[in-house]
Amino acid sequence: MKVDCLESTLEKSLQAKFPSDLKVSILLDFTRGSRGRKNSRTMLLPLLQKFPEQVRVSLFHTPNLRGLLRLFIPERFNETIGLQHIKVYLFDNSVILSGANLSDSYFTNRQDRYVFLQDCADVADFFTELVEAVGDVSLQLQGDDTVQVVDGMVHPYKGDRAAYCKAANERVMGVINSARARQQQLHAQTFHGDPLLTQDAAAAGDRRPAPDTWIYPLVQMKPFEIQIDEIVTETLLTEAERGARVYLTTGYFNLTQAYMDLVLGTRAEYQILLASPEVNGFFGAKGVAGAIPAAYVHIERQFYSEVCGLGQQERVQLQEYWRRGWTFHAKGLWLYLAGSSLPCLTLIGSPNFGYRSVHRDLEAQIAIVTESRALQQQLHQGWP
């Protein structure tokens, strides 16, 4: 159905009286998008064949899946080596950031989180450039169902791994550094009253009030030595003071050792929400996958044993989400400063705070920092 919508919109753009520059760029993971006989790749091929000038389908292939490893690890299990896991949906100047995929269950009976940033050109530009950058270091799907690398790019699993990762780092960091420079300029203008910047804004007729909300994109791509999200998350957990509250949720409880140590070793109160075994997406699956919910329960029990061993069960509380007929996939963090009943910050996006999110996958989320009481109330109500 979603592919049909894209096809219909592309058809209308070609039939419009005025020339349209509509482009559709889709970034998927190679292994996940190619799994099985009917998959995302086969669904998108007709679109690519019909609108070759307007549609781009990029398939990211982790550089860590290569050689004999790539040859012998079966489908589905090869995804554990590393994925393109970013979930961002862009429409002109509007952005939806989420941890959700676009498969049917997410629109029917799967609990997840979404944030819609309407007419937010700066954030839309950043994520457009990020998707294009990752697309450029990915394999390009062709109309005959083959794939090709972009001209001049190192092949992700046939080429030299170090050379590929270096090229990918330079391409993605170019986007990040450019956005960082723009945001630093805006910070200087807003908070430090840079006279030159202020005069320029006034001359341009810019008399907008000082913003009460800031959005910071956070990217994690450890294979390319990009660790921004990890650093920010660790900093938030480290700096959370006594009396502050941190709400944390993940569909797959497998916090990194560093995150667990910070939760156990800091003074803030923690409320951690995770999926009960019955609402884990792998519950009832055939074969080895069916044992995954039990593995997460084992990790949860180990962690809670540590909490109890330290006498911290009042400060660190664990809860399991359960809803009949539903699965749970929501992830994120909410920060409540000491003495406040509403959060001033939330993280929302694709990371699960686990080993794969930090070390293997490509992830992105945003930190929303706000003084707006109305928005703080909405963020508070967004706790599942």
Side-chain angles (χ1 to χ4, degrees):
M1 182 63 71
K2 291 172 278 293
V3 176
D4 291 344
C5 288
L6 289 174
E7 183 177 6
S8 172
T9 304
L10 285 162
E11 284 278 13
K12 289 175 183 175
S13 75
L14 291 180
Q15 295 167 4
K17 291 182 179 179
F18 303 100
S20 170
D21 58 355
L22 176 65
K23 301 286 185 185
V24 176
S25 182
I26 299 169
L27 173 63
L28 302 173
D29 181 73
F30 182 95
T31 53
R32 185 168 284 182
S34 305
R35 188 208 303 163
R37 293 181 66 183
K38 184 180 179 182
N39 50 47
S40 300
R41 188 168 163 173
T42 58
M43 288 175 66
L44 291 167
L45 267 177
L47 209 61
L48 195 60
Q49 292 162 348
K50 194 170 183 180
F51 307 99
E53 300 301 315
Q54 292 171 278
V55 176
R56 181 193 197 194
V57 179
S58 304
L59 301 169
F60 173 79
H61 192 294
T62 177
N64 295 331
L65 183 64
R66 55 176 53 229
L68 293 176
L69 196 66
R70 187 176 190 276
L71 199 60
F72 290 116
I73 295 185
E75 282 187 354
R76 196 176 183 102
F77 293 97
N78 58 11
E79 297 174 20
T80 62
I81 306 302
L83 288 174
Q84 192 304 105
H85 198 246
I86 298 168
K87 320 297 169 79
V88 58
Y89 312 109
L90 297 150
F91 314 89
D92 300 325
N93 282 336
S94 296
V95 184
I96 297 175
L97 254 293
S98 181
N101 297 315
L102 289 178
S103 51
D104 290 336
S105 63
Y106 290 90
F107 295 92
T108 51
N109 63 344
R110 192 158 219 206
Q111 177 71 44
D112 218 307
R113 295 179 69 213
Y114 304 79
V115 63
F116 177 42
L117 307 173
Q118 188 171 14
D119 295 326
C120 197
D122 289 337
V123 179
D125 287 346
F126 172 79
F127 280 105
T128 298
E129 291 169 17
L130 182 68
V131 168
E132 289 301 307
V134 177
D136 285 347
V137 304
S138 301
L139 298 168
Q140 307 303 305
L141 185 63
Q142 306 298 305
D144 59 359
D145 199 23
T146 60
V147 292
Q148 293 180 5
V149 294
V150 171
D151 287 345
M153 188 60 206
V154 182
H155 197 284
Y157 66 86
K158 293 180 181 177
D160 180 76
R161 184 187 179 283
Y164 170 79
C165 290
K166 182 175 184 291
N169 172 284
E170 291 174 355
R171 181 69 181 88
V172 174
M173 284 306 300
V175 172
I176 292 170
N177 289 332
S178 175
R180 185 178 285 158
R182 293 196 299 269
Q183 193 159 50
Q184 285 173 344
Q185 185 180 41
L186 193 55
H187 263 253
Q189 180 180 338
T190 304
F191 295 119
H192 304 298
D194 185 314
L196 187 61
L197 292 173
T198 306
Q199 288 169 16
D200 289 346
D206 188 349
R207 307 204 182 282
R208 291 172 295 179
D212 58 15
T213 302
W214 289 81
I215 295 171
Y216 300 91
L218 308 175
V219 177
Q220 182 75 11
M221 300 181 180
K222 198 70 164 277
F224 306 153
E225 298 184 358
I226 298 171
Q227 299 166 241
I228 298 166
D229 182 66
E230 178 186 3
I231 292 167
V232 170
T233 303
E234 288 189 359
T235 301
L236 287 172
L237 298 179
T238 302
E239 298 296 328
E241 60 186 344
R242 187 188 299 276
R245 287 178 295 144
V246 176
Y247 288 4
L248 186 72
T249 181
T250 174
Y252 307 110
F253 186 75
N254 185 22
L255 300 184
T256 65
Q257 191 62 51
Y259 291 166
M260 284 195 287
D261 290 346
L262 287 170
V263 171
L264 294 171
T266 51
R267 297 175 176 181
E269 296 175 13
Y270 282 86
Q271 195 166 323
I272 302 174
L273 179 64
L274 40 123
S276 68
E278 296 81 5
V279 301
N280 186 296
F282 291 97
F283 187 75
K286 294 179 181 178
V288 177
I292 290 176
Y296 284 117
V297 169
H298 176 68
I299 294 168
E300 177 189 350
R301 284 176 177 163
Q302 281 187 315
F303 177 71
Y304 193 63
S305 293
E306 287 192 60
V307 171
C308 294
L310 294 168
Q312 300 288 310
Q313 55 267 44
E314 288 296 317
R315 188 180 66 83
V316 181
Q317 298 183 3
L318 272 66
Q319 297 175 309
E320 289 187 352
Y321 178 99
W322 183 89
R323 183 177 179 184
R324 187 183 300 278
W326 281 62
T327 55
F328 182 76
H329 194 249
K331 67 274 302 239
L333 180 149
W334 292 252
L335 175 63
Y336 296 71
L337 296 180
S340 176
S341 61
L342 296 174
C344 64
L345 176 148
T346 193
L347 301 182
I348 181 168
S350 64
N352 287 300
F353 306 104
Y355 181 86
R356 276 180 53 185
S357 286
V358 172
H359 295 280
R360 294 188 175 182
D361 295 347
L362 306 192
E363 307 277 12
Q365 62 180 338
I366 55 172
I368 302 175
V369 184
T370 183
E371 296 176 338
S372 163
R373 191 166 181 83
L375 181 54
Q376 289 177 350
Q377 191 71 48
Q378 284 184 299
L379 297 181
H380 178 70
Q381 291 169 351
W383 172 249

